[in-house]
Amino acid sequence: MIKVTVWNEYLEELQYEHVAKVYPNGIHECIREFLEKDPEIQVRCVTLRMEDQGLSDEILNDTDVLIWWGHQAHDEVTEENVQRVKQHVLDGMGLIALHSAHYSNPMKELLGTSMCVRWKHGEREKLVCVAPSHPIAEGITEPVILEKEEMYGEYFDIPKPDDVIFTGWFSCGEVFRSGCTFHSGYGKIFYFQPGHEEYPVYYIPEVQKIIKNAAFLAMTPEKCETFLKKEVKEVTLP
Ligand code: ZN
């Protein structure tokens, strides 16, 4: 059983009618719905405006994998909460950063680069798997077409990923490293570019499958705090 917490800013869905039409209950509830179809996944949703911004130790201690969607309010997440998320990842909590969450403060803190991209709205994207044997690509045999998506373009200022699993090719000609894995401390991190709030990207079965695969992969069997705090014992080499 994996305990997944979906954290969403949940602002645009409340502010803009055209976004609410796509995600009437918020992006987080859409993600919950498809993840919970798997009996091995237990989902909790939290949002920015909740108590403790939904990021208390109580919640994070009970989270194997945190999925993060944020866009306009990255700087509203308190420094205390950013550091708390970072520490939990270092201790072994998985982190899946979706779309504009590349620019969230926990991602910047964990990866240590500016995370800058170039962007343009209203493009068509062909999402091509470039690492078919990777567990996150399991079941994705053909390129995935996103009829409307926001283009993110290189250069994407990230550290060298552990793996690049998907490359996005956009109708305007740009390309992007759309699905990348990293690790920080004991935590596994997956960045996945699709998911601009104006387009119904999280209803696409292949996109759902990729996020679900990533949730299983990002889980560390037990959080590793105990390993980090282990005392060094003297050993005698043979
Ligand atoms: Zn966007």
Side-chain angles (χ1 to χ4, degrees):
M1 171 68 73
I2 317 178
K3 290 179 179 176
V4 173
T5 298
V6 181
W7 187 93
N8 181 17
E9 264 179 17
Y10 194 35
L11 299 177
E12 267 120 337
E13 300 96 317
L14 299 173
Q15 284 168 353
Y16 305 112
E17 213 173 297
H18 68 289
V19 179
K21 267 189 190 157
V22 181
Y23 295 110
N25 301 312
I27 287 173
H28 51 292
E29 287 297 338
C30 173
I31 294 172
R32 180 213 291 273
E33 206 171 293
F34 69 76
L35 286 178
E36 275 188 344
K37 284 183 186 154
D38 191 312
E40 288 300 307
I41 303 180
Q42 190 182 309
V43 183
R44 175 206 320 249
C45 291
V46 290
T47 60
L48 176 67
R49 296 281 185 253
M50 283 181 171
E51 194 186 347
D52 299 321
Q53 303 186 321
L55 297 168
S56 64
D57 266 323
E58 197 190 340
I59 289 171
L60 297 182
N61 281 333
D62 197 39
T63 300
D64 297 315
V65 177
L66 179 66
I67 296 180
W68 190 284
W69 197 101
H71 177 217
Q72 58 171 276
H74 294 313
D75 287 340
E76 281 189 43
V77 179
T78 65
E79 182 58 20
E80 192 188 348
N81 282 337
V82 171
Q83 293 304 325
R84 185 178 295 122
V85 171
K86 177 184 178 183
Q87 193 57 51
H88 277 268
V89 174
L90 293 175
D91 291 343
M93 180 177 74
L95 176 64
I96 300 175
L98 297 175
H99 189 57
S100 39
H102 68 91
Y103 213 53
S104 64
N105 286 322
M107 280 294 274
K108 285 186 191 166
E109 279 281 322
L110 285 158
L111 298 186
T113 54
S114 76
M115 310 301 288
C116 282
V117 300
R118 293 157 58 247
W119 74 92
K120 183 171 177 281
H121 287 150
E123 293 294 316
R124 184 169 185 265
E125 178 177 4
K126 184 176 181 183
L127 189 68
V128 181
C129 178
V130 292
S133 61
H134 196 283
I136 290 179
E138 198 227 301
I140 308 299
T141 51
E142 297 292 329
V144 183
I145 303 297
L146 312 180
E147 287 300 337
K148 259 197 171 177
E149 181 51 291
E150 181 180 13
M151 180 279 284
Y152 277 5
E154 300 281 350
Y155 176 62
F156 182 19
D157 184 21
I158 46 174
K160 187 178 177 189
D162 292 339
D163 282 300
V164 178
I165 303 152
F166 297 99
T167 299
W169 182 27
F170 295 86
S171 44
C172 57
E174 299 283 343
V175 292
F176 191 67
R177 288 168 287 172
S178 292
C180 304
T181 56
F182 307 90
H183 66 278
S184 193
Y186 286 86
K188 298 176 196 167
I189 300 170
F190 178 54
Y191 171 71
F192 192 44
Q193 160 266 317
H196 182 68
E197 71 278 2
E198 293 174 295
Y199 315 129
V201 172
Y202 294 126
Y203 295 98
I204 298 171
E206 291 87 349
V207 169
Q208 297 180 351
K209 173 80 173 146
I210 291 164
I211 295 171
K212 198 174 87 173
N213 288 347
F216 278 102
L217 189 80
M219 187 184 72
T220 300
E222 56 177 297
K223 286 197 187 177
C224 303
E225 200 178 348
T226 46
F227 292 99
L228 292 170
K229 288 180 180 160
K230 252 185 189 172
E231 278 176 38
V232 176
K233 284 185 190 149
E234 270 194 41
V235 290
T236 310
L237 295 173

